[in-house]
Each structure stands twice: as structure tokens, then as C-alpha cells.
Amino acid sequence: MMFCRAGHISGWVAAATIAVAGIFLPADVDAGMGYAVVPTTIIYPGDTLSASQLQEVEVTNPNLSGDFAKTISQVEGLVSKRTLLPGRTISVSGLREPYTVTRGSSIRLVFSLGAMTISAAGSPLEDGATGQLIRARNMDSGVIVSGTVLADGTVHVRAK
């Protein structure tokens, strides 16, 4: 009569389970890592990402984690905050929306209260994307106001 250790039996069972799973599971379920977006050229800070500069590659590194971009449509049209190197994954946190208004440009300030609307010429004191709160100077009075940037490039001023 032969005795064997339980550790050897559980090891054989685990090996057999892995072998059977490898035979019966499709290859794409086994790999299942997905895709990542990488630049094909160097992209510098302030550059807008376009589809011609990007490609989707299959992820083969099981240790790759984080907030990397998975599709080109996810990052196309965004602006890079840092230098992106060819073949390296693109971190979504390293991108931003393009600015709707830029510092020093001419904009329209709009204040609404009920049915009353007041409009004035203004100049933003900082860059701002749509939906962002920025400070701007009223060109007529010189007063600095805060407001939300709208998609058309106007700034909706808040009441104090």
C-alpha cells in the first residue's frame, strides 16, 4: 500500500484543472486583456490628439493597470498635458478638454436675473473649457467677475 501527501494530490488537481480550462475555453477569453491606445508619433504638451497620430494595440502585459485609454474615440480631440511617446499607453489623466476661451481674448459677459439680461464686453483672466468657472474683467467698468464658460464662448456671470 502506498501513501502520498495531500499536497501532491491538490497540485495534480490544480494542474489538470488549468489544462482542461486551456483546452475548452476560447483563446480570446483566456487572453481577454483588451486594447490600449498608443501614439505613433511624439505628441507634445498642448497638442490636440487626432486619429492619424494614434493606433489601438492589443494589451499583452498582464501587469498593465491604471487609467490608460482603450479606444481612439475616447481621446480624439483632447489636448495633451504632457509629452506622449510612440508605443507608450496614453493616461487619460494626462489629457484635458480644449479651451473654449483663452486668456486675454475678447468675450461676451452675460448676466441674467429673471427676464432681465445684461451683456458686456469682457476679457478672461485665465483659460477655460466649457463648464469651467473662470475670472474675467468687465472691459467697461474694470470690475473682475466670476462666471461659467458656455459652449459658444460667452461667460455666464454669477450674482454675488
Side-chain angles (χ1 to χ4, degrees), residues 11-77:
W12 283 100
V13 171
T17 305
I18 292 171
V20 169
I23 293 170
F24 292 111
L25 289 177
D28 58 338
V29 171
D30 193 31
M33 303 248 178
Y35 289 89
V37 177
V38 297
T40 56
T41 62
I42 296 175
I43 300 173
Y44 295 101
D47 288 351
T48 302
L49 278 64
S50 67
S52 63
Q53 298 173 306
L54 307 170
Q55 72 178 14
E56 290 180 5
V57 296
E58 188 173 350
V59 176
T60 56
N61 183 353
N63 297 324
L64 185 64
S65 63
D67 67 340
F68 62 89
K70 294 169 181 52
T71 63
I72 291 176
S73 62
Q74 182 182 5
V75 296
E76 187 175 17

Side-chain angles (χ1 to χ4, degrees), residues 16-146:
T17 305
I18 292 171
V20 169
I23 293 170
F24 292 111
L25 289 177
D28 58 338
V29 171
D30 193 31
M33 303 248 178
Y35 289 89
V37 177
V38 297
T40 56
T41 62
I42 296 175
I43 300 173
Y44 295 101
D47 288 351
T48 302
L49 278 64
S50 67
S52 63
Q53 298 173 306
L54 307 170
Q55 72 178 14
E56 290 180 5
V57 296
E58 188 173 350
V59 176
T60 56
N61 183 353
N63 297 324
L64 185 64
S65 63
D67 67 340
F68 62 89
K70 294 169 181 52
T71 63
I72 291 176
S73 62
Q74 182 182 5
V75 296
E76 187 175 17
L78 297 179
V79 177
S80 175
K81 292 184 196 175
R82 54 183 71 110
T83 302
L84 304 175
L85 299 174
R88 300 280 181 113
T89 58
I90 298 173
S91 173
V92 177
S93 63
L95 305 173
R96 64 168 174 79
E97 292 289 327
Y99 293 133
T100 307
V101 296
T102 56
R103 181 176 165 213
S105 64
S106 180
I107 58 167
R108 225 49 229 146
L109 300 173
V110 178
F111 175 77
S112 298
L113 185 63
M116 179 181 71
T117 301
I118 300 172
S119 178
S123 177
L125 299 176
E126 53 200 355
D127 298 329
T130 302
Q132 190 174 11
L133 184 68
I134 65 164
R135 295 177 310 123
R137 182 182 309 277
N138 182 327
M139 298 304 283
D140 297 329
S141 67
V143 174
I144 296 175
V145 295
S146 294

